[in-house]
Amino acid sequence: MGEQPLPGGFVTTVVRAGNTVRRAPPEDPEFVRALLGLFERRGWAGAPRFLGTDERGREVLSFIAGHVAWEPVQPPSITSDASLARLAGLVREFHDLTAGAPLAAGEEVVCHNDLSPKNTVYRASSVHRLGHRRPGEADPRRRPCLLAIP
């Protein structure tokens, strides 16, 4: 199966192989895998599925088709109020799904802490989060004010 490099991999190289995405594991792979497993068990379509690791030790995730906004200039639909509102809803769903979960380690929720257009897949009627990882400096269990909606 051939691999196609995906643009925008600012932290790690990401490639598509068929209906999967391959990337080097994050710093805390067990946390990320457990988080993706939680989302899968709860039926949440806002994140890719962890499918295992390949022969090179890379994580294998399900591919979510759509537009990843990694370039500075984006189509108007990406920067629209409707798109922002859907993204805010997606973040709320993420927090609600992790509220009280063991992964929150006694805190309110698990936070993504790298919320940005480059970690989001946009489709005609929805957005999906990508790149779930536990950052080093920020506390991933506290819910900061991520979006200000006028």
Side-chain angles (χ1 to χ4, degrees):
M1 169 181 350
E3 294 184 354
Q4 170 190 359
L6 295 175
F10 299 106
V11 175
T12 186
T13 300
V14 180
V15 298
R16 179 178 177 186
N19 288 326
T20 67
V21 171
R22 314 291 172 109
R23 69 175 187 189
E27 279 187 39
D28 192 353
E30 294 309 313
F31 180 86
V32 175
R33 293 168 188 175
L35 181 61
L36 292 175
L38 171 74
F39 292 151
E40 182 175 13
R41 287 187 305 280
R42 298 210 175 153
W44 193 52
R49 302 296 182 235
F50 174 70
L51 304 174
T53 56
D54 68 10
E55 65 283 351
R56 294 169 52 187
R58 299 176 299 181
E59 288 189 327
V60 180
L61 305 170
S62 60
F63 176 77
I64 298 174
H67 175 79
V68 177
W70 63 274
E71 295 177 301
V73 178
Q74 293 298 316
S77 63
I78 302 303
T79 58
S80 71
D81 289 346
S83 181
L84 179 61
R86 178 59 188 122
L87 181 57
L90 198 64
V91 172
R92 174 62 188 261
E93 292 168 10
F94 181 107
H95 289 159
D96 289 349
L97 286 165
T98 63
L103 290 170
E107 297 294 339
E108 186 180 1
V109 298
V110 173
C111 288
H112 188 283
N113 290 335
D114 195 14
L115 182 63
S116 70
K118 72 181 184 302
N119 282 331
T120 307
V121 175
Y122 295 82
R123 296 190 197 187
S125 62
S126 63
V127 294
H128 295 271
R129 296 292 301 129
L130 290 179
H132 300 287
R133 62 185 177 87
R134 186 179 199 166
E137 289 97 63
D139 187 336
R141 296 160 299 187
R142 297 210 182 268
R143 189 184 323 211
C145 179
L146 294 174
L147 298 173
I149 300 176

